[in-house]
Amino acid sequence: MKRILILCFLAAAVLSACSPSKEQGQKTKVWNVASIQVDGHPQNEAVKKMGEIFGQLTNGRYRFEVFPNELLGPQRETLEQVQYGIIEMAIMGNPNVSSFEDGFLTFEMPFLFDDEAHQRRFFTTSSLVEKLFARTEKYNFKIVTYFTAGTRNMYAKKPIRNLADLKGMKIRTAESDTYAKMMKALGGAATPMSFGEVFTAIQSGVVDGAENNEASYSSTKHYEIAPYYSYTRHLIVPDYLIMNKKLYDSLSAQDKQALAEAARQAADYEVELWQKDAQERLAQVKEGGATIVYDVDSKALQKAVVPLHEELTQNPEIKEVYDAVKATSELK
Ligand code: GCU
């Protein structure tokens, strides 16, 4: 009900589009941004900062309003809201984007990036990124920037140290076929569902556990019902800030430039916040009774997904991105 009210409010806001600003009769346009993350999450903070920078660079003609906590709905719904211009922007997980364009499936390959620094290097230096991002524009949404979403680890009511521990376990994943294949290769089974449904699913025993970064493990309070967080480090998947394509096209060249600069600074800021936030979150979950498991046989897990890499890279669109990712690796 709350969501319907907010959406009605937003629809009305789209019709009126702007509000008067203090500056010489200019209008301040408010861009609404959907996020499933809690207040204070590095991505929400980065988007707020981006709004401030964009506002400054355009003499206060734009302002961002972030709606956290899935207030506007799960990511898939907010992606549609962006496509239809009901809202201007949303923070989006990779699986929602890869369902449109196969190249993005590459980022859902387990043990793809060496570490988070490698992911950052790829997204900030590879010439393929811009081309890849441009491929979503035909679906009426534009990727404004990538954001790190850290490293994903598995958690459950018991520690997961090796393949034997995972055998037969039902693990919630985001909605992606690649994740289902990954869990199968690791000996478990994936139960796909949206982010907001996971707590109840673990609590009621529909799944045995889930997998996510420290920020989400902590903010969702999953540690209270799945208190073993095992450093499997199996996925380093990005998130994105997306916006309505028509809205982007309607901006002047100068405003597009201001937006790109604000996005660049926001992405740097988010990465900067991420590490510190992850450490704080870890301390928080430990205090809340969680046990952190570091001695995971990650090599065995990596070996188990080699056939999956071989299978996925048969797809030329995945292979193109895969090769570009590997070209930015610093490992020999
Ligand atoms: C993280 C990630 C989201 C993703 C979520 C999930 O929070 O940042 O983009 O949707 O995990 O597992 O659903």
Side-chain angles (χ1 to χ4, degrees):
M1 184 61 188
K2 197 168 170 190
R3 196 193 309 164
I4 294 170
L5 285 176
I6 296 172
L7 284 171
C8 289
F9 165 78
L10 288 177
V14 169
L15 290 177
S16 61
C18 29
S19 64
S21 93
K22 291 151 228 142
E23 256 189 39
Q24 308 151 354
Q26 267 184 354
K27 305 277 188 188
T28 298
K29 292 185 175 152
V30 181
W31 286 8
N32 296 303
V33 190
S35 169
I36 62 166
Q37 310 294 355
V38 290
D39 238 354
H41 185 283
Q43 294 175 350
N44 291 349
E45 291 305 303
V47 171
K48 282 185 199 158
K49 177 135 183 154
M50 178 176 163
E52 282 163 24
I53 299 169
F54 188 42
Q56 279 157 15
L57 293 175
T58 55
N59 298 321
R61 282 183 290 111
Y62 298 96
R63 188 167 69 74
F64 288 3
E65 185 74 40
V66 179
F67 289 81
N69 281 329
E70 255 182 85
L71 272 175
L72 300 184
Q75 285 182 345
R76 191 165 295 276
E77 285 179 25
T78 61
L79 190 143
E80 285 171 13
Q81 292 166 27
V82 169
Q83 286 177 301
Y84 291 116
I86 297 167
I87 58 173
E88 286 74 12
M89 289 178 141
I91 302 173
M92 205 45 59
N94 194 76
N96 294 302
V97 179
S98 68
S99 62
F100 289 90
E101 275 294 321
D102 280 4
F104 288 87
L105 285 170
T106 317
F107 307 127
E108 289 162 30
M109 288 168 79
F111 303 104
L112 172 76
F113 292 106
D114 308 333
D115 49 26
E116 290 172 29
H118 178 200
Q119 185 193 51
R120 176 106 189 109
R121 195 158 53 245
F122 169 75
F123 278 102
T124 51
T125 65
S126 173
S127 58
L128 185 66
V129 172
E130 210 181 318
K131 283 185 240 157
L132 182 67
F133 282 6
R135 287 180 200 159
T136 72
E137 295 182 12
K138 54 181 170 294
Y139 310 108
N140 209 22
F141 69 93
K142 180 180 169 62
I143 298 181
V144 182
T145 180
Y146 116 97
F147 278 145
T148 185
T151 303
R152 295 176 80 98
N153 301 293
M154 297 199 198
Y155 51 88
K157 290 192 168 63
K158 63 168 203 183
I160 298 171
R161 294 196 168 84
N162 47 43
L163 291 168
D165 289 337
L166 257 173
K167 192 130 200 78
M169 283 184 84
K170 281 182 284 177
I171 304 286
R172 176 271 170 178
T173 62
E175 289 138 317
S176 142
D177 285 353
T178 320
Y179 292 157
K181 287 178 180 169
M182 169 189 77
M183 287 312 309
K184 195 166 169 228
L186 295 174
T191 307
M193 67 185 74
S194 75
F195 192 55
E197 295 172 309
V198 187
F199 190 94
T200 315
I202 300 176
Q203 199 175 38
S204 63
V206 167
V207 293
D208 301 311
E211 47 86 56
N212 220 313
N213 55 48
E214 294 87 346
S216 292
Y217 180 55
S218 153
S219 68
T220 53
K221 301 222 183 310
H222 290 173
Y223 61 90
E224 290 178 357
I225 47 173
Y228 288 91
Y229 190 75
S230 304
Y231 269 100
T232 47
R233 302 184 200 277
H234 56 286
L235 284 168
I236 303 179
V237 195
D239 284 337
Y240 308 98
L241 178 65
I242 62 163
M243 76 178 285
N244 177 271
K245 168 72 168 56
K246 285 201 190 93
L247 172 65
Y248 180 78
D249 288 343
S250 73
L251 299 177
S252 67
Q254 226 173 1
D255 285 358
K256 281 181 185 154
Q257 219 172 15
L259 186 72
E261 175 56 22
R264 197 191 53 74
Q265 290 192 38
D268 284 351
Y269 184 57
E270 194 252 347
V271 170
E272 194 184 303
L273 292 180
W274 191 275
Q275 281 313 324
K276 195 168 158 272
D277 182 79
Q279 289 318 309
E280 284 170 9
R281 296 290 185 174
L282 213 52
Q284 212 174 324
V285 298
K286 276 195 220 163
E287 214 163 288
T291 302
I292 314 301
V293 181
Y294 291 97
D295 57 329
V296 173
D297 186 0
S298 173
K299 283 260 168 343
L301 268 55
Q302 281 186 41
K303 220 171 131 201
V305 299
V306 170
L308 179 58
H309 279 219
E310 285 164 4
E311 179 197 321
L312 291 171
T313 49
Q314 298 297 311
N315 175 328
E317 286 178 47
I318 296 181
K319 177 81 165 89
E320 181 192 22
V321 181
Y322 185 85
D323 288 345
V325 166
K326 292 298 167 188
T328 54
S329 165
E330 283 181 351
L331 294 185
K332 290 280 174 276

